[in-house]
Amino acid sequence: MPTPHIQAPKGEIAKSVIMPGDPLRAKFIAENFLENPKLINEVRNILGYTGTYQGSPVTVMASGMGMPSIGIYSYELFTQYDVESIIRVGSAGAYSGELNVYDIVLADSVWSESSFARTQNGFTGDVILPDPELNQRIKDAAESLQIPLTPTKIHSSDVFYCESSMPDYKEIHDKHGCTCVEMESFALFHNASVLHKKAACLLTISDSFVTNEKISSEERQKSFTGMMRIALEACR
């Protein structure tokens, strides 16, 4: 039966899911990379498509922005649709001058000040790891495609706009070793850990706190093809 947030009948979502935040990025991936994509969800305009990539079934579905949103969709996919793995493909802001716009990073750990995990099941830690097997598949895919990939520790934040009195990116980088920031992976990794599923997070740098360089929203939707190809290859 469909869930309150996903209209697809059971059986129409693949075991492997690629999950961008932006619904239009999900649409772009489906239309440009999947064979015979079928729209399987449009509740709340959270677009989801199932098709095949080089013969392997794959679902691409948006998560929306922030931990509460990806927390809902990933939990329902894992528990109601028997999804085994979710690879988040998103954008990130660089905390380090060693990362440039369009660089692709792979989360090897995630630090967060979020209360998501504590509220969900009482977990009090502030670092969560991705699935090591899925991360290795992603690294192997990047190597086979000859696309540079940087494994790194990332900051997963609940808040996009912070007041100037709060710790800035330099403090977070120096204290916690995070080289970039996004807003979803901590909740995704927590749900996967609780439910004994697999999760990973690929990010493309869309802006830099160090240089103030940034790219447009349209470029974020359509130009992150290297990250998309790596994720799809890892689902084969």
Side-chain angles (χ1 to χ4, degrees):
M1 293 289 292
T3 72
H5 307 96
I6 304 173
Q7 72 194 61
K10 195 168 182 178
E12 290 197 357
I13 293 179
K15 299 294 185 183
S16 298
V17 174
I18 294 173
M19 184 161 268
D22 185 350
L24 293 179
R25 191 180 299 151
K27 184 174 187 287
F28 178 86
I29 295 171
E31 292 179 346
N32 287 274
F33 292 98
L34 296 188
E35 298 115 11
N36 303 311
K38 177 184 178 182
L39 179 67
I40 51 87
N41 189 72
E42 53 185 341
V43 175
R44 297 173 181 253
N45 280 332
I46 294 294
L47 302 179
Y49 302 81
T50 295
T52 58
Y53 177 75
Q54 298 188 15
S56 298
V58 178
T59 293
V60 180
M61 182 173 162
S63 71
M65 288 194 293
M67 293 191 213
S69 189
I70 199 171
I72 290 170
Y73 290 110
S74 62
Y75 197 92
E76 291 181 355
L77 289 170
F78 284 141
T79 60
Q80 303 301 313
Y81 290 93
D82 300 326
V83 167
E84 291 298 326
S85 65
I86 296 176
I87 301 175
R88 165 164 154 69
V89 288
S91 57
Y95 283 173
S96 168
E98 296 180 1
L99 291 177
N100 301 306
V101 168
Y102 291 112
D103 283 355
I104 302 171
V105 303
L106 174 66
D108 59 21
S109 62
V110 175
W111 172 81
S112 184
E113 66 277 79
S114 172
S115 63
F116 180 93
R118 183 171 65 253
T119 301
Q120 200 278 334
N121 81 331
F123 177 79
T124 57
D126 58 8
V127 174
I128 302 181
L129 305 180
D131 180 77
E133 179 184 336
L134 187 55
N135 260 29
Q136 188 58 54
R137 280 164 44 195
I138 291 169
K139 292 175 185 177
D140 292 343
E143 184 176 359
S144 70
L145 293 168
Q146 298 184 323
I147 298 175
L149 180 67
T150 303
T152 191
K153 185 178 185 180
I154 68 174
H155 174 202
S156 193
S157 180
D158 268 340
V159 179
F160 192 86
Y161 297 108
C162 290
E163 297 302 304
S164 58
S165 59
M166 301 305 293
D168 66 7
Y169 78 91
K170 295 178 183 177
E171 293 178 69
I172 294 171
H173 173 270
D174 293 346
K175 184 176 181 179
H176 300 285
C178 302
T179 64
C180 60
V181 60
E182 53 83 70
M183 301 186 70
E184 288 83 24
S185 62
F186 187 78
L188 172 62
F189 289 6
H190 176 74
N191 279 351
S193 177
V194 167
L195 298 170
H196 308 291
K197 302 287 188 171
K198 300 180 187 299
C201 178
L202 274 167
L203 302 166
T204 300
I205 301 301
S206 60
D207 58 281
S208 172
F209 287 82
V210 181
T211 66
N212 293 318
E213 186 179 6
K214 62 181 65 177
I215 63 176
S216 70
S217 58
E218 183 176 3
E219 288 174 308
R220 290 197 296 271
Q221 289 172 21
K222 299 180 178 179
S223 64
F224 292 173
T225 54
M227 170 179 66
M228 297 169 189
R229 290 172 62 207
I230 293 169
L232 287 161
E233 191 71 19
C235 291
R236 292 178 58 197

